Amino acid sequence: MTQELTGVTVVIIVSIGILILIMLFIFAKRQIMRFALRSRRGPHIPIGHGAKKSLKKEIHRRIDAIPKIVYEPRMINENDSQYIMPPDNHLPPFYCRLKAMDDVKLLEQEITRQDPCLHRHPTENLRAYLLTTLAAPLNGMGQRMVHQFCDLYEHARHDPSEFGDEEYQVFHRLLLKLIDAARLLKSYSNSRKSSPNRTPVKKSQDKCRQLLEAKLKEKREDESPPLPPPPDNTETTV
């Protein structure tokens, strides 16, 4: 036997359904936020939340500068006892590679000593840096030497093939030649500073310019109307 639902019963059923929908919505939203926070790499709270706008910009600027911080450490510590061995023992096979890495810093220091503006950032390509900075001392004839030096450097740093004492001696000879070329940078920089910024004007050009200016001046004087005569201020007596 079916009975008709009263108005109160309908309202109760509808309200219960609405409450269930609201609870499901809140639960789904919380789950979505939880998964989003787990998958997100950053912090749960925005960086600089509640701080001043200027402070927030400074925080973001410093965070963005972190990937640009690169440092090339010294590979071999001269005071390290593991590289001080008796004459009968041999150095480890990677010693020549580490020594080559440190020797490149000697060349960079010599270039910077001659011209402080020629500083190399660790992210800058070594081959392009040497070709640019040593172009004047080598006078275009030492590009092959620079390429050989950089090839040996990349061999020592990245190539898994053997880099022993023989390869290091070739690398060291090229290094000494490039250091000698770097010592000439100061004289080239001084010559660039002492040279005038503009080429001197020839005397013939000066004469032509003077004649042209004189003609223009005469033309202006001819075209200008004559000045009226000054009024006669003398009083006439009758």
Side-chain angles (χ1 to χ4, degrees):
M1 181 177 179
T2 59
Q3 297 179 353
E4 294 182 359
L5 297 175
T6 60
V8 178
T9 308
V10 172
V11 171
I12 292 173
I13 293 173
V14 171
S15 61
I16 291 173
I18 292 173
L19 287 175
I20 292 173
L21 289 175
I22 292 173
M23 291 176 64
L24 290 174
F25 175 76
I26 294 172
F27 177 76
K29 185 178 179 181
R30 287 175 62 87
Q31 289 297 111
I32 292 171
M33 290 294 296
R34 185 178 298 175
F35 285 118
L37 291 175
R38 284 182 179 179
S39 61
R40 187 179 176 185
R41 297 181 62 185
H44 299 336
I45 300 175
I47 298 173
H49 178 70
K52 294 182 180 179
K53 189 175 181 180
S54 59
L55 180 59
K56 191 182 295 186
K57 284 185 178 180
E58 181 65 18
I59 292 172
H60 284 284
R61 186 189 68 81
R62 296 193 179 191
I63 292 175
D64 294 338
I66 290 175
K68 300 178 183 178
I69 299 174
V70 183
Y71 176 68
E72 293 181 348
R74 187 174 182 84
M75 296 295 173
I76 298 176
N77 187 4
E78 296 179 355
N79 299 325
D80 196 348
S81 60
Q82 66 174 332
Y83 297 114
I84 302 175
M85 296 184 177
D88 298 337
N89 295 343
H90 296 284
L91 290 170
F94 54 83
Y95 177 80
C96 293
R97 295 179 183 270
L98 302 182
K99 187 67 175 171
M101 299 296 102
D102 290 341
D103 288 349
V104 172
K105 291 298 177 185
L106 299 177
L107 177 58
E108 294 179 8
Q109 290 172 4
E110 185 62 34
I111 293 173
T112 309
R113 188 183 297 112
Q114 301 299 327
D115 192 347
C117 298
L118 300 176
H119 178 72
R120 173 181 170 266
H121 193 269
T123 58
E124 187 178 357
N125 184 267
L126 179 65
R127 191 185 302 268
Y129 170 76
L130 294 178
L131 289 174
T132 304
T133 55
L134 300 180
L138 295 175
N139 197 16
M141 303 297 293
Q143 291 187 1
R144 183 179 178 184
M145 187 192 309
V146 173
H147 285 298
Q148 289 178 352
F149 178 79
C150 293
D151 290 341
L152 287 171
Y153 170 77
E154 292 175 358
H155 178 195
R157 184 168 184 174
H158 302 293
D159 199 336
S161 59
E162 183 181 0
F163 186 87
D165 185 67
E166 184 178 353
E167 290 81 7
Y168 175 75
Q169 293 301 328
V170 177
F171 176 85
H172 190 68
R173 285 195 293 269
L174 293 172
L175 174 70
L176 295 178
K177 292 180 181 179
L178 293 178
I179 289 177
D180 292 338
R183 288 171 181 163
L184 302 175
L185 280 172
K186 194 170 185 179
S187 60
Y188 280 92
S189 61
N190 292 335
S191 63
R192 285 197 302 268
K193 291 178 182 178
S194 61
S195 61
N197 295 330
R198 294 184 297 178
T199 56
V201 182
K202 295 180 180 180
K203 293 183 179 180
S204 59
Q205 294 179 355
D206 289 338
K207 290 181 179 179
C208 293
R209 185 177 298 174
Q210 291 175 2
L211 291 173
L212 183 60
E213 289 176 356
K215 288 182 180 179
L216 290 174
K217 188 175 181 181
E218 292 175 359
K219 189 175 181 181
R220 291 195 200 99
E221 291 176 356
D222 294 339
E223 292 177 356
S224 60
L227 296 175
D232 190 8
N233 294 330
T234 59
E235 296 181 357
T236 58
T237 57
V238 179

